Amino acid sequence: MSSEQFQAAHDSIYNTGTRLLQYLQEIRQGRLSEGDDTKSLQNVEDEINKALHALKEQKYQVAVIAAMKAGKSTFLNAVIGADILASETAACTICRTDVRHIPSGQIPRLLEYRDGQKRPLVITEGEAGEIQQKFLMRTREIREKGNPDKTIRFEIEHSIEAISRLSSLAGFTLVDTPGPNEWESGNFNTALKQTALEALRTCNAILFVLNYASYKDNAISDLFKDIIENRKEILCENTGKIYFILNKVDQKTEKDREIADVIEDLKRELASFGFPNPIIYPASSRQGVLAKLIQQGKATDSQIKDFKKFFSARYAIEDEAEQIRETLNVQKVKLNEYLNEVTAIRVSLDNWKPLQRIR
């Protein structure tokens, strides 16, 4: 089901429920005016109200997991439509991080949840760049000091551009989970692993981000083996809800195999781990996030330079090809006009020859 179909189904159910509620309210008011007891109708009305509220506030959580250097943070930034999650050589995801969708007019915030405290600590709020900087500083501090504050998760409140036009996904959350490399970092690797596996078990869908250049990496293999051997219920409970992102396909060179061939190879690899008929999408997250930032007018000078350096040549070739096509189309039109003129002259000459013989 496409996003448009999902939105249409959601709207249809909500509108039908709303009309039914209005109809029941009209009936109940009529019965009340006649002195009838309407408790049974009131109960039905209450249930419909609960169902409509639940439909409107439905929560959808998508877990995202990857090994280091797979471009997970960049992929998430491309989906969010903002350069808000930092990426660096060291492990960045030191605990679960939820990116919760909010309306575009609402002020973004970075929250930190700690064990034993009911309310989160507001780290910062405002622009994506400020949140990224504060988030990076805080994760470095936790990684270096061993998490003395017992931070259990972060939450970023920010609009998610990819689903911003779908009112049915108002309760959408991206769950950035620690990857296998990050399980081995710091002094709390066991907790990180349990956090990741728990997120995989409870979320509505799972995205595995794989690096095009190293999709057979041992860290990913270890993750898949752990799921198959110790978490088989994840596969059983999430059939049809697991997706694979083959990231960094822009790194493909002319000497490399076609992306379609790589995907077929990856399908066989995943099938060997117990993922039947895996759904794989190729992606260039870096290109996506830079393009979105440029379109929004939020790209920095360095980001614009990066886009020109790594991706503009491809667009230049496409533009050149388009210009050639346009030139050929113009020449084709001119050629047709010329042929029409020649045909008209020939007809005129044919009409003129008999007159010459008569004279």
Side-chain angles (χ1 to χ4, degrees):
M1 178 183 290
S2 67
S3 57
E4 291 80 6
Q5 292 172 328
F6 180 82
Q7 180 65 49
H10 179 277
D11 291 343
S12 177
I13 295 172
Y14 190 84
N15 292 335
T16 300
T18 301
R19 289 195 297 270
L20 179 59
L21 183 62
Q22 293 173 346
Y23 179 67
L24 282 174
Q25 289 173 341
E26 291 175 1
I27 294 177
R28 196 165 66 84
Q29 289 300 320
R31 293 279 185 88
L32 284 173
S33 63
E34 295 174 359
D36 290 347
D37 183 5
T38 61
K39 287 185 178 180
S40 59
L41 289 177
Q42 179 66 57
N43 291 336
V44 174
E45 185 178 322
D46 291 342
E47 291 300 319
I48 293 176
N49 269 318
K50 289 180 182 178
L52 289 175
H53 179 76
L55 183 63
K56 189 175 182 181
E57 300 297 324
Q58 177 66 47
K59 306 298 181 184
Y60 298 96
Q61 293 188 333
V62 176
V64 184
I65 190 168
M68 283 175 61
K69 298 183 180 180
K72 179 179 64 172
S73 295
T74 307
F75 170 76
L76 287 168
N77 284 337
V79 175
I80 297 167
D83 191 14
I84 195 167
L85 291 172
S87 58
E88 57 178 11
T89 304
C92 286
T93 313
I94 46 81
C95 61
R96 169 174 170 159
T97 301
D98 294 353
V99 183
R100 186 171 66 84
H101 175 65
I102 59 174
S104 57
Q106 191 171 325
I107 298 175
R109 298 194 303 169
L110 171 62
L111 310 177
E112 179 180 334
Y113 288 82
R114 296 177 177 177
D115 189 24
Q117 297 183 12
K118 293 182 178 181
R119 293 188 177 184
L121 177 67
V122 180
I123 304 298
T124 189
E125 61 180 33
E127 297 296 326
E130 175 69 14
I131 290 177
Q132 184 190 84
Q133 183 180 9
K134 295 289 186 180
F135 189 29
L136 185 56
M137 290 173 59
R138 184 65 183 125
T139 53
R140 283 175 180 170
E141 182 181 6
I142 293 174
R143 187 171 61 244
E144 292 169 2
K145 295 183 179 181
N147 197 19
D149 297 318
K150 297 182 179 180
T151 300
I152 54 176
R153 72 180 178 95
F154 289 98
E155 182 175 294
I156 296 175
E157 297 176 342
H158 196 282
S159 62
I160 300 176
E161 186 188 53
I163 54 94
S164 60
R165 297 182 181 180
L166 301 173
S167 60
S168 55
L169 296 179
F172 187 83
T173 298
L174 287 167
V175 180
D176 184 6
T177 62
N181 300 89
E182 291 155 327
W183 297 347
E184 305 304 324
S185 66
N187 300 317
F188 39 97
N189 54 342
T190 301
L192 286 179
K193 186 174 183 178
Q194 293 303 319
T195 296
L197 293 174
E198 178 65 15
L200 297 183
R201 188 183 67 81
T202 58
C203 287
N204 302 97
I206 302 169
L207 296 181
F208 287 103
V209 182
L210 308 176
N211 188 338
Y212 165 81
S214 58
Y215 60 89
K216 293 184 180 181
D217 183 74
N218 288 334
I220 288 295
S221 298
D222 291 342
L223 168 64
F224 292 157
K225 288 177 181 177
D226 191 285
I227 292 176
I228 297 300
E229 294 174 2
N230 304 313
R231 295 291 186 276
K232 291 183 179 180
E233 73 276 6
I234 292 177
L235 287 179
C236 296
E237 296 172 2
N238 291 282
T239 302
K241 298 180 182 179
I242 299 176
Y243 304 88
F244 299 88
I245 307 299
L246 185 61
N247 198 21
K248 300 187 178 183
V249 295
D250 52 274
Q251 294 182 355
K252 177 185 177 299
T253 66
E254 294 182 359
K255 297 180 181 180
D256 294 335
R257 292 181 299 164
E258 293 298 322
I259 293 175
D261 295 333
V262 175
I263 289 177
E264 288 304 315
D265 182 44
L266 178 57
K267 284 183 177 180
R268 290 189 291 269
E269 187 79 10
L270 292 171
S272 70
F273 283 109
F275 297 94
N277 303 315
I279 302 172
I280 304 170
Y281 296 101
S284 173
S285 299
R286 184 60 178 164
Q287 182 179 0
V289 70
L290 289 176
K292 286 186 177 181
L293 291 173
I294 291 172
Q295 287 178 338
Q296 297 168 2
K298 296 180 179 179
T300 62
D301 290 341
S302 62
Q303 288 169 335
I304 294 174
K305 288 180 181 178
D306 283 347
F307 186 84
K308 290 179 178 179
K309 179 180 179 180
F310 296 111
F311 305 113
S312 60
R314 182 177 306 169
Y315 290 100
I317 293 173
E318 292 177 357
D319 289 343
E320 184 179 350
E322 182 63 28
Q323 290 174 4
I324 292 173
R325 283 193 292 268
E326 290 179 358
T327 301
L328 289 175
N329 286 332
V330 171
Q331 294 299 326
K332 183 178 179 180
V333 171
K334 289 183 178 180
L335 181 59
N336 286 332
E337 292 176 352
Y338 174 72
L339 290 174
N340 290 334
E341 290 178 5
V342 170
T343 301
I345 292 172
R346 182 176 180 180
V347 170
S348 298
L349 289 173
D350 288 342
N351 292 334
W352 176 76
K353 288 178 181 178
L355 295 176
Q356 290 291 327
R357 287 195 292 270
I358 292 171
R359 290 178 182 176

